[in-house]
Amino acid sequence: MSCPIGCYDCCMKCLGGVPYCSLVATLMCFSGIALFCGCGHQALTETERLIETYFARNLQDYITLAYLIQYFQYVIYGLASFFFLYCIVLLAEGFYTTSAAKQTFGEFRSTLCGRCLSSTFILITYLLAVVWLLVFAFSALPVYFFYNMDATCHTITVLTETPASINQLCIDARQYGLLPWNALPGKACGMTLSTVCKTREFRVTYDLFIAAFAGAGITLLALLTYMVSTTYNFAVLRYLGRKGIGTRC
């Protein structure tokens, strides 16, 4: 592309066509999905190990949980692949709509097909944001479980001088639906629970679930940013179309 107006002005016009909101949202989405999928996958593996070691003695007691964990890990693989491709598509769409709206490249104009495509991406992004809001809420559940477990262990540490009251402090995995009610022992109490909380597996799993929860929040924020940027660009394209600037395919 020739630059008769000077390299500086040409570069400024090219930079004006960069969809900065979509670019920031893409980086946020990549980092959020990486945190959620990577940490979530490993956290599920560590959770299965904790349940197997400290809360269940019989394989049949946690076999259903093991299958569910394996299923969610496969879902995580699919989520990572889908969001990687979808974010790339949204970024490309952001370049198109920003360039069309600002008319950066000479005779380049918005088309009816382009506006239809933009409206489709807006609808899909809205739906994904609603679904991901549920994922964000769901990812808070294991954080809540491990927080309660850590708080109970802290209470046990404070009450070490009264062993009788310590044995009454328990974390029952069956109450949270992790194990069936006939699972044995199904719970950890007193100093046994305190010992579990001091293990590396517990600390690593707790930190991983917190990181996965943060990743889900970053991804939700990225989707909301996509919604704002794509809706704004679509509104500008509709305005250009009504002014007679847009063309058909």
Side-chain angles (χ1 to χ4, degrees):
M1 181 176 64
S2 61
C3 299
I5 58 176
C7 290
Y8 176 79
D9 292 333
C10 180
C11 290
M12 289 299 100
K13 293 189 69 175
C14 291
L15 290 176
V18 176
Y20 292 104
C21 287
S22 296
L23 184 60
V24 170
T26 300
L27 295 177
M28 291 173 57
C29 191
F30 281 167
S31 59
I33 285 296
L35 273 176
F36 178 78
C37 293
C39 295
H41 182 279
Q42 186 61 31
L44 289 174
T45 301
E46 296 293 337
T47 300
E48 182 180 0
R49 186 176 294 117
L50 276 174
I51 294 295
E52 178 184 0
T53 305
Y54 300 104
F55 292 92
R57 297 171 182 168
N58 191 348
L59 175 62
Q60 297 302 319
D61 290 338
Y62 65 91
I63 190 66
T64 302
L65 177 65
Y67 281 130
L68 285 176
I69 287 177
Q70 187 178 17
Y71 169 77
F72 279 119
Q73 287 176 334
Y74 284 124
V75 171
I76 284 175
Y77 297 146
L79 279 176
S81 302
F82 170 78
F83 271 95
F84 176 78
L85 295 176
Y86 189 68
C87 288
I88 293 296
V89 171
L90 282 182
L91 182 61
E93 193 267 345
F95 272 101
Y96 164 76
T97 53
T98 303
S99 299
K102 295 185 177 181
Q103 303 176 24
T104 305
F105 299 107
E107 297 299 321
F108 186 70
R109 296 292 187 269
S110 63
T111 64
L112 181 61
C113 287
R115 293 194 295 273
C116 291
L117 188 62
S118 296
S119 62
T120 302
F121 282 128
I122 291 173
L123 178 61
I124 295 175
T125 306
Y126 268 80
L127 293 176
L128 283 177
V130 173
V131 172
W132 201 257
L133 183 62
L134 299 177
V135 174
F136 178 66
F138 179 77
S139 62
L141 296 179
V143 177
Y144 174 72
F145 171 76
F146 280 93
Y147 172 80
N148 284 342
M149 190 170 175
D150 186 60
T152 304
C153 289
H154 178 71
T155 304
I156 292 173
T157 303
V158 174
L159 299 177
T160 50
E161 297 180 358
T162 54
S165 61
I166 289 177
N167 293 329
Q168 297 175 4
L169 296 175
C170 302
I171 286 293
D172 195 337
R174 297 169 296 187
Q175 288 183 326
Y176 295 89
L178 299 178
L179 293 173
W181 283 107
N182 59 352
L184 293 175
K187 62 181 180 179
C189 301
M191 295 308 298
T192 301
L193 178 60
S194 180
T195 302
V196 174
C197 291
K198 294 177 182 177
T199 60
R200 174 189 171 276
E201 290 85 357
F202 172 79
R203 290 298 169 187
V204 169
T205 307
Y206 191 14
D207 292 340
L208 286 173
F209 273 122
I210 292 175
F213 177 69
I218 294 173
T219 305
L220 179 61
L221 185 59
L223 290 173
L224 295 177
T225 306
Y226 275 130
M227 287 166 52
V228 172
S229 62
T230 53
T231 303
Y232 171 78
N233 288 331
F234 176 74
V236 174
L237 292 179
R238 285 288 301 270
Y239 173 76
L240 294 177
R242 290 177 180 177
K243 298 288 286 185
I245 298 176
T247 60
R248 294 188 177 274
C249 298

